[in-house]
Amino acid sequence: GGGRVAACEVLLRTLAVANLIREKKVHLIEAMLQSGEQSSRGMCSLEESLARLVHDRRVTRHEALALANDPAAMRAKMGGEA
């Protein structure tokens, strides 16, 4: 116990991301990350990273929910895990 562990969000410059930025639709980037289809390209939402840390028992569910940008998405990603 104790100490720190990193949870990070990874967004790579792809044509889709560049187009969203160019078209001033940056609010859609989070939804694109949450969709999960970007994980095959190395992208990862903060909620995915936190869920992995909960699964590995590095952080508690309570801590993950407190740190998530989208607690509802965080709950869905954690499912029924302890």
Side-chain angles (χ1 to χ4, degrees), residues 3-19:
R4 295 178 183 222
V5 63
C8 58
E9 186 165 81
V10 178
L11 177 68
L12 301 175
R13 184 185 177 277
T14 64
L15 288 177
V17 170
N19 284 334

Side-chain angles (χ1 to χ4, degrees), residues 13-51:
R13 184 185 177 277
T14 64
L15 288 177
V17 170
N19 284 334
L20 288 175
I21 294 170
R22 189 178 312 103
E23 295 171 8
K24 297 182 179 14
K25 297 181 180 177
V26 294
H27 61 282
L28 298 176
I29 292 174
E30 185 67 30
M32 185 180 69
L33 274 176
Q34 294 292 343
S35 73
E37 65 187 57
Q38 301 302 321
S39 62
S40 64
R41 296 182 178 164
M43 292 191 234
C44 172
S45 71
L46 177 63
E47 287 72 21
E48 287 175 290
S49 182
L50 288 167

Side-chain angles (χ1 to χ4, degrees), residues 36-71:
E37 65 187 57
Q38 301 302 321
S39 62
S40 64
R41 296 182 178 164
M43 292 191 234
C44 172
S45 71
L46 177 63
E47 287 72 21
E48 287 175 290
S49 182
L50 288 167
R52 192 172 16 256
L53 292 171
V54 169
H55 179 265
D56 294 344
R57 299 181 189 270
R58 305 285 310 271
V59 299
T60 66
R61 289 174 60 93
H62 178 76
E63 290 168 327
L65 286 168
L67 296 168
N69 291 327
D70 185 348

